[in-house]
Structures are given as structure tokens and as C-alpha cells.
Amino acid sequence: MSGEIRHSALYSGWVQHRRFAPRVHAFRYRMGLLYLDLDEQQALFALSPLAGNGRWQPFAFRETDYLPDYTSAGVRLVDAVRARVGEILGETFDGPVRLLTQARSWGLSFNPVSFFYCFDRDEQLRAVLCEVSNTPWRQRYHYVLPVTAELPQRFALAKQFHVSPFLPLDLEYRMRLGPPGERLTVQMEDWQGETRLFQAGLALQREALTRASLHRQLLRFPWMTGKTLAAIYWQALRLAIKRIPLFNHQPSRGPYGLATPSPQERSHEEH
């Protein structure tokens, strides 16, 4: 693994959710994320004694927190990502793998979704693996977005995995993914036929990953994973008070989901 940080970074900004039916419900929160080149882990750990791969450190990264079917058996995370992408797409890419995620914090690891950006040896982005998790079941599911043009690019895919009990499984995801540059954006909408039920988005600003910026991130977001879980359950309580219908937990439809690149403009403007 590399001894210097060349591609890894920190991102901070806003996550927002908006529900359109059967009742309007919206919120947004500040958040901070790690963008880690998986070959630069040791350089990250060398920045500060507050960072490392220990279970209880305030800013930790542990490979076994991701793709546990592979990593718990001793497979390196970079190889696990390549294997899963190869299984889904039928081809593998041997370039860098860079991960956008919430770092483990004070013993707690949870990510509603983590994005693995998979490049070829010419540093061209070829696919994005989305690892989605739910709570309290702590199940995981993988969607692959095959990148066929320069980002931003739109994708459409059938929802295959139960996430929120306030949304049905019979939905279509429509996503717009921007490049991990100075700004990083992700937009996702849930559609049921011609009805848009839900919209979520990330709007983030990049910051160089240094000892000083890492410490600033820890001061701004001292327990990011805990904040995320608390927000999920707080918003679930608000939805329950609004009497939003509940849907029973359902098993996943298949072992993974594959997106279709969607060049046409399918999404409405954000509200």
C-alpha cells in the first residue's frame, strides 16, 4: 500500500431527503465522508494517532466492515470489490478502487450506502459498486452502475432490497451520479410507475486529506455514524406520527442489482 496520500480526500456537505407521497416530509443534515483509495490505507493511518484500523478509534477504517462475505474470509477489500463487480458485469478492472464512505467511529460502523469507484489501469472510471445496508436488520445488498461515458451519468434500476419500512419494494431507482472531483453529487429518486415518491441527494465539497483536515473533520463530526443512525430513527418516528403506511420486510430479489445507463433526461428538477 502507498506511503503517501495522492488520491484520498475528505468530503463534507449536505444530505437531503424529500418525500412527495402520500404526505410531504423533508429534512437535511450536515455530514462528512471519507474518500479513500484502498491502496492508501497506511498513509491514512500515519496521519494521526486518532486514525487507524482499531475497532474503537475515533476515526477508523476496517476492511471487514465491507463486503463481509469476502473480507471475513481474509480476502483483501480491493480484491473483493473486483470479484463482486466481475461477478455482476462479467469483466473485471485492475485499476484503483476508491471508496466514499463514513469512517467507523468509536466502535460503531454503519453506512446506508457506500460507493466503490472502480477504475481501469488507465484511470478511467468503469463502474461504481453501491453497497447498501439497512437497519435494524444489518443486511447488505450490492448494485453495480456500469459507467459508459464521462460522469455525470444517469442510471435506472429496479429496487431489489428492502431498506425503509415506509417505502415498498416495487419501485424503480433513478440515479444521477457525478464525478468525485472538487464537488461530488449523487441524486436518487424512487418512482412507482409515473409517480415520484421520494428523492435523496448528496452535495459535497472536497478537501485535501491531511492531519489538520482530519482533525477538523473529527471536531465537526465527532460521531458521524452515531448521528446517522440517530437521524434514521428520529425521522422514522416523525413518519410514524404522520401515519405514513408501513410495508413488511421482504427478502431481496436476487443476489444483486445491475443498473442500466440512462442517457435521456428522466428526472424532474430538484425542489
Side-chain angles (χ1 to χ4, degrees), residues 132-148:
V132 181
S133 302
N134 58 21
T135 181
W137 305 278
R138 291 299 183 102
Q139 297 167 319
R140 298 166 192 256
Y141 195 83
H142 296 120
Y143 296 100
V144 167
L145 315 179
V147 177
T148 58

Side-chain angles (χ1 to χ4, degrees), residues 6-40:
R6 299 179 57 197
H7 302 286
S8 301
L10 296 173
Y11 278 96
S12 62
W14 295 92
V15 57
Q16 63 87 22
H17 286 198
R18 185 175 180 86
R19 178 183 291 268
F20 301 96
R23 296 175 183 85
V24 173
H25 180 81
F27 64 87
R28 73 171 190 158
Y29 292 112
R30 292 277 299 172
M31 72 180 315
L33 297 176
L34 170 67
Y35 180 70
L36 178 64
D37 187 310
L38 294 183
D39 284 335
E40 296 180 357

Side-chain angles (χ1 to χ4, degrees), residues 50-64:
L50 300 179
N53 60 3
R55 183 177 297 274
W56 298 98
Q57 287 180 282
F59 193 96
F61 181 79
R62 294 171 63 87
E63 292 202 344
T64 50

Side-chain angles (χ1 to χ4, degrees), residues 63-78 80:
E63 292 202 344
T64 50
D65 288 336
Y66 307 87
L67 281 80
D69 289 350
Y70 292 91
T71 56
S72 62
V75 178
R76 293 192 313 151
L77 181 56
V78 66

Side-chain angles (χ1 to χ4, degrees), residues 146-240:
V147 177
T148 58
E150 292 292 328
L151 296 182
Q153 188 173 344
R154 295 185 182 276
F155 303 88
L157 62 158
K159 182 179 179 181
Q160 306 281 3
F161 175 66
H162 182 96
V163 179
S164 167
F166 297 97
L167 284 167
L169 193 60
D170 185 22
L171 295 175
E172 181 187 53
Y173 288 147
R174 300 180 186 179
M175 297 181 66
R176 184 180 186 272
L177 193 68
E182 289 305 309
R183 289 181 55 81
L184 190 155
T185 59
V186 178
Q187 298 174 6
M188 188 275 290
E189 297 179 338
D190 289 353
W191 286 75
Q192 191 170 52
E194 296 303 313
T195 302
R196 181 175 57 166
L197 300 182
F198 175 81
Q199 180 186 70
L202 287 174
L204 306 172
Q205 186 73 38
R206 186 182 180 111
E207 184 176 8
L209 178 54
T210 66
R211 179 185 176 93
S213 67
L214 175 64
H215 290 171
R216 285 195 299 270
Q217 184 103 318
L218 281 170
L219 287 173
R220 290 195 299 256
F221 309 106
W223 198 28
M224 191 66 241
T225 49
K227 177 182 177 180
T228 297
L229 280 169
I232 288 172
Y233 287 105
W234 168 241
Q235 296 302 329
L237 176 61
R238 292 183 63 199
L239 291 172

